[in-house]
Amino acid sequence: MIIKKRRIAVRSQSNFQATVSVSDDDESGEKLRMNMGTCYFPKNIESNPESLGQDAHFICQERQTFGVADGVGGWAKKGIDSGIFARELMSNYLTSLRSLEPGQAVNLKKILLKAHSKTAAIGSSTACVVSLKGDRLCYANVGDSGFMVFRGKRLVYRSPTQQNYFNCPFSLGNWVGEGKRPVSVFLGEFDVEQGDIVVAGSDGVFDNLFGSEIEEILQESEGRPWPQDLAWTIATVASMNSTSEEYDSPFAIAAESEGIEHVGGKIDDITVIVAVIELDQPRVCQEEEEEEEEEE
């Protein structure tokens, strides 16, 4: 397992943040699907050991969609658990997804705003929802949750973040005495291929892992990539980095660039969703393939 406790040469992220336009023509005629797995480590809160944390997420295989939300921690000063808001938001999103008619398109922004309108809890959170449509990975994002795409186990794309200022991301919310505020939703898409690996998560992941470190984790994995195993490994390394005082984390480097002193990782809830882009084969074929691999 890879634990980095040194400054890593960080490549420019700008190369990975341009939305890619692709043709509507599917030359191969082969349909793709996401095979998804998740892992969640809530941070330890001594004052509330029973807390579920402030992150929430869902995966919906039948609609080839997943989402992650991260409750804004500042609400804790007012005695409010923003994780309740995040969980209700994601639950409302999943409910709306499952209520769609067969064949009805997934409108990521429309469903996100609908889920937000139905969320009654006080609080606020970031949100990133992602759906595979043909060979396009489409997403709607508010704040600093997001994802990276790896091709050939190399980083080729990173979704952009939205921040008011350092460590203050855009969010959806429900404010005391004010209700809901207008929200800016960023829409984007990226052309994916069979074998691509999507690593999504809350900022607790990307504040504690560089893209180059995730590349190393993927390169050390052998055989067929299993999303559940990869999600656990990535979350474990991010969690260990978050508590290290020696690790020169992405968050510490970003803080330094803003004139803020921060040593080590950033202790936070950590949610990882891994989606492996595969050919959409009949389920019976997939089961036979899995049995053959187990026999080997």
Side-chain angles (χ1 to χ4, degrees):
M1 190 171 296
I2 306 165
I3 306 295
K4 296 295 180 186
K5 294 187 177 179
R6 56 184 173 81
R7 182 182 291 272
I8 296 175
V10 184
R11 290 175 293 174
S12 171
Q13 300 290 357
S14 60
N15 294 333
F16 308 124
Q17 292 186 347
T19 299
V20 175
S21 298
V22 296
S23 168
D24 289 330
D25 297 327
D26 184 1
E27 296 179 358
S28 68
E30 294 178 311
K31 186 178 180 183
L32 300 176
R33 69 186 291 272
M34 292 192 293
N35 183 13
M36 296 176 275
T38 71
C39 184
Y40 175 43
F41 294 151
K43 66 182 176 183
N44 181 33
I45 303 176
E46 295 182 0
S47 60
N48 185 10
E50 302 300 317
S51 172
L52 298 175
Q54 296 168 342
D55 282 6
H57 70 277
F58 73 85
I59 59 174
C60 185
Q61 293 281 7
E62 60 268 30
R63 288 290 178 177
Q64 285 291 280
T65 302
F66 65 79
V68 60
D70 177 8
V72 175
W75 286 96
K77 298 176 182 178
K78 299 181 179 180
I80 294 172
D81 180 1
S82 60
I84 296 173
F85 177 93
R87 288 187 287 277
E88 187 179 351
L89 178 69
M90 291 291 95
S91 177
N92 287 339
Y93 200 104
L94 184 57
T95 298
S96 293
L97 265 183
R98 289 177 170 166
S99 69
L100 295 176
E101 296 294 329
Q104 186 176 352
V106 176
N107 186 319
L108 293 169
K109 180 178 178 180
K110 182 178 179 180
I111 298 175
L112 181 58
L113 295 178
K114 180 180 178 181
H116 181 213
S117 70
K118 291 188 173 184
T119 301
I122 297 296
S124 60
S125 77
T126 65
C128 182
V129 286
V130 181
S131 186
L132 181 64
K133 300 179 181 181
D135 60 357
R136 294 183 183 185
L137 198 67
C138 302
Y139 63 95
N141 191 48
V142 179
D144 58 4
S145 293
F147 65 91
M148 296 179 177
V149 180
F150 297 83
R151 181 169 299 157
K153 300 183 178 179
R154 292 291 184 183
L155 177 61
V156 294
Y157 183 78
R158 180 172 183 174
S159 61
T161 59
Q162 299 169 296
Q163 294 192 101
N164 296 297
Y165 49 87
F166 175 70
N167 205 30
C168 181
F170 286 15
S171 63
L172 304 107
N174 194 17
W175 282 263
V176 179
E178 185 179 346
K180 297 175 175 65
R181 300 173 183 171
V183 61
S184 174
V185 180
F186 182 88
L187 299 176
E189 60 184 40
F190 183 74
D191 186 17
V192 292
E193 302 175 359
Q194 179 187 2
D196 285 357
I197 298 175
V198 182
V199 178
S202 56
D203 66 335
V205 179
F206 304 116
D207 281 341
N208 291 295
L209 274 177
F210 294 97
S212 56
E213 291 177 287
I214 299 177
E215 286 179 341
E216 290 184 45
I217 292 172
L218 297 179
Q219 289 160 13
E220 289 198 347
S221 65
E222 298 180 354
R224 179 177 177 177
W226 294 102
Q228 193 66 45
D229 293 345
L230 285 175
W232 183 87
T233 300
I234 292 168
T236 297
V237 178
S239 180
M240 296 179 73
N241 284 349
S242 74
T243 59
S244 172
E245 294 183 358
E246 299 176 22
Y247 175 62
D248 202 3
S249 67
F251 183 82
I253 293 173
E256 183 181 1
S257 69
E258 296 291 329
I260 300 170
E261 183 178 356
H262 181 91
V263 177
K266 180 192 176 189
I267 297 175
D268 204 349
D269 301 309
I270 292 172
T271 297
V272 177
I273 300 173
V274 171
V276 179
I277 307 299
E278 303 176 339
L279 288 180
D280 189 10
Q281 300 172 331
R283 183 61 194 166
V284 63
C285 295
Q286 290 179 1
E287 290 172 350
E288 290 173 357
E289 201 174 279
E290 290 169 5
E291 287 175 2
E292 290 175 2
E293 289 185 2
E294 287 176 0
E295 289 175 1
E296 292 174 1

